[in-house]
């Protein structure tokens, strides 16, 4: 049976691994660049191709995907620089609030009822030293969206792997002290391979978050191997791992994950575009599930990756021959894995149970 995008849209669900930085559509970037008086780093028609070979505003020729020895072979470093450039175009609180509002609307369009969105203030260069103002503007946009009946979106404030221990702890203390509106979690993202093994560096920050009752989600096992996932569990008290796909290389780690409540927020298209796996057939999502690991399926950076959540779920359903029950089970898992309030989780589980099967 073919599982259509329309049927997937009809299923209430959560998305738990998606970046606000990955929500800028081409038209948004064009408008923002015009307002900021900035020129584009490449032709509009291929701006998102540029993202995977971008360096400091200079476009380089495409990388050699067969060169897996180079950190750049994943394309992640260039991609993150592109996000820096693009988020640097947001200069006013109104622009930030509007971006957050549009993000919530986009999620609603995919039938997403709840989202934990990651925001990494280091990408938003105009807000250096004014990060609380940025967060406040984003939360205002999300409040307005919720009042308008759109997707409920909460924020996971993210550290960058290259930051120092002191910077990380300062962010954690700020969140623990001020409890900014809509912030539910401390996160860490960025290029693990370029930063080196940095679990110990951020242990204090994540311990502060845990002790203050703030959730934790950690990018690991994307550009790092299984050791990054071990560190996320042992040092950073992760409740969720973003990506975590490299856990598949370590049977002891798979057993640890299967035995725990920790889920992996998997994003196959992102992994493929950034060069981790050649195609969907080689992606380890099914192997992770077969090992008993709890897995959710997410978009990561939907706009530059040219996708939407329902397209990702439909593609996975086709590749791994899922039945409708596998898809509704995934929806339930997405709710359980989220940091949504318990009452909302209960309501969404009931709504999923009421979804009609596909015809
Ligand atoms: N920030 C946005 N997308 C990311 C990814 N795939 N890995 C790490 N950091 C990110
Ligand atoms: Zn991510």
């Amino acid at each position: 049976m073919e599982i259509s995008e329309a049927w997937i849209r009809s299923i209430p669900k959560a998305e738990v691994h998606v970046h606000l930085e990955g929500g800028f559509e081409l038209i948004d970037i064009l408008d923002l660049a015009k307002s900021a008086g900035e020129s584009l780093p490449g032709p509009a028609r291929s701006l998102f191709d540029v993202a995977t070979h971008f360096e400091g505003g200079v476009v380089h020729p495409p990388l050699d995907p067969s060169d897996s020895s180079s950190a750049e072979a994943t394309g992640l470093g260039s991609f993150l620089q592109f996000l820096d450039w693009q988020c640097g175009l947001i200069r006013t609180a109104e622009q930030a609030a509007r971006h957050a509002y549009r993000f919530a609307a986009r999620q609603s369009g995919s039938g997403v009822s709840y989202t934990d969105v990651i925001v990494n203030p280091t990408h938003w260069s105009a807000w250096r030293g004014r990060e609380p103002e940025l967060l406040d503007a984003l939360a205002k946009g999300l409040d307005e969206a919720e009042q308008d009946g759109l997707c409920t979106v909460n924020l996971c404030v993210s550290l960058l792997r290259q930051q120092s221990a002191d910077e990380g702890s300062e962010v954690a203390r700020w969140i623990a002290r001020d409890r900014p509106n809509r912030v539910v979690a401390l996160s860490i993202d960025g290029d693990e391979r370029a930063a080196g093994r940095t679990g110990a560096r951020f242990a204090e920050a994540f311990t502060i978050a845990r002790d203050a009752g703030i959730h934790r989600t950690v990018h690991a096992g994307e550009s790092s191997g299984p050791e990054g996932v071990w560190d996320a569990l042992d040092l950073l008290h992760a409740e969720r791992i973003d990506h975590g796909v490299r856990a598949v290389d370590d049977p002891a780690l798979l057993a640890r994950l299967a035995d725990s409540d920790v889920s992996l927020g998997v994003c196959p298209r992102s992994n493929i575009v950034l060069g981790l796996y050649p195609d969907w057939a080689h992606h380890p999502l099914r192997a992770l599930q077969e090992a008993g690991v709890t897995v959710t399926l997410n978009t990561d950076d939907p706009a530059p990756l040219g996708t939407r959540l329902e397209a990702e779920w439909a593609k996975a359903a086709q590749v791994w021959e899922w039945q409708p029950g596998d898809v509704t089970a995934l929806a339930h898992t997405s709710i359980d894995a989220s940091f949504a309030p318990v009452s909302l989780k209960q309501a969404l589980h009931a709504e999923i149970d009421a979804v009609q099967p596909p015809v």
Side-chain angles (χ1 to χ4, degrees):
M1 172 183 299
E2 201 210 325
I3 306 243
S4 71
E5 291 185 19
W7 183 66
I8 292 168
R9 273 195 295 277
S10 78
I11 307 172
K13 52 192 148 332
E15 185 163 21
V16 299
H17 180 179
V18 57
H19 300 255
L20 207 48
E21 294 83 10
F24 291 92
E25 297 292 349
L26 180 59
I27 183 67
D28 302 329
I29 297 177
L30 298 177
D31 285 343
L32 289 165
K34 206 170 268 184
S35 300
E38 300 277 350
S39 52
L40 302 178
R45 70 173 175 281
S46 57
L47 205 59
F48 292 143
D49 305 338
V50 163
T52 51
H53 50 270
F54 183 93
E55 213 171 274
V58 180
V59 179
H60 292 272
L63 299 155
D64 175 2
S66 63
D67 178 12
S68 58
S69 65
S70 140
E72 277 300 290
T74 64
L76 180 58
S78 306
F79 184 71
L80 297 173
Q81 287 183 333
F82 178 78
L83 298 186
D84 283 340
W85 173 78
Q86 167 218 256
C87 294
L89 300 172
I90 293 272
R91 308 281 164 86
T92 70
E94 290 70 31
Q95 288 171 333
R98 187 72 191 148
H99 178 62
Y101 184 95
R102 290 167 73 101
F103 175 82
R106 194 180 203 283
Q107 295 297 92
S108 293
S110 292
V112 179
S113 304
Y114 177 84
T115 304
D116 288 320
V117 74
I118 297 165
V119 56
N120 183 328
T122 68
H123 287 299
W124 308 62
S125 55
W127 299 83
R128 215 146 277 156
R130 298 188 297 135
E131 290 83 358
E133 287 174 51
L134 171 63
L135 266 289
D136 189 50
L138 297 172
K140 284 205 169 83
L142 298 175
D143 284 348
E144 186 187 340
E146 193 168 332
Q147 278 152 22
D148 289 353
L150 299 174
C151 181
T152 299
V153 183
N154 285 331
L155 297 162
C156 304
V157 174
S158 204
L159 309 175
L160 191 71
R161 280 278 172 189
Q162 272 82 358
Q163 285 186 281
S164 67
D166 285 349
E167 286 169 327
S169 298
E170 201 182 315
V171 171
R173 274 192 212 99
W174 159 55
I175 297 171
R177 189 187 59 236
D178 290 7
R179 304 284 163 159
N181 185 19
R182 291 197 176 268
V183 172
V184 291
L186 181 67
S187 153
I188 185 162
D189 61 14
D191 193 337
E192 302 156 84
R193 186 153 41 168
R197 196 166 177 178
T198 52
R201 191 195 293 172
F202 297 104
E204 185 183 65
F206 279 85
T207 300
I208 292 168
R210 181 195 60 184
D211 293 349
I214 292 161
H215 290 295
R216 287 90 46 203
T217 185
V218 174
H219 273 64
E222 180 193 28
S223 64
S224 70
E227 74 287 351
V229 181
W230 282 111
D231 287 352
L233 297 174
D234 290 337
L235 302 174
L236 304 182
H237 321 298
E239 294 168 88
R240 283 200 309 250
I241 306 287
D242 296 311
H243 297 297
V245 284
R246 295 288 309 281
V248 80
D249 304 332
D250 182 341
L253 179 56
L254 287 176
R256 165 91 181 262
L257 288 165
D259 221 25
S260 75
D261 293 331
V262 175
S263 60
L264 304 187
V266 171
C267 310
R269 185 178 307 272
S270 167
N271 297 156
I272 294 160
V273 171
L274 295 177
L276 264 66
Y277 301 102
D279 52 38
W280 285 75
H282 288 85
H283 192 278
L285 184 144
R286 171 176 269 177
L288 291 164
Q289 285 182 318
E290 284 174 353
V293 177
T294 303
V295 168
T296 60
L297 177 50
N298 308 272
T299 58
D300 207 10
D301 295 288
L305 297 175
T307 194
R308 304 181 60 90
L309 192 60
E310 66 270 41
E312 298 308 282
W313 286 30
K315 177 74 182 176
Q318 180 217 325
V319 171
W320 291 299
E321 299 177 338
W322 289 350
Q323 299 304 307
D326 298 317
V327 179
T328 49
L330 184 69
H332 282 298
T333 303
S334 72
I335 304 296
D336 287 332
S338 77
F339 299 144
V342 173
S343 55
L344 180 57
K345 286 188 177 191
Q346 285 169 346
L348 293 174
H349 281 309
E351 284 181 30
I352 296 167
D353 285 337
V355 166
Q356 297 298 311
V359 279

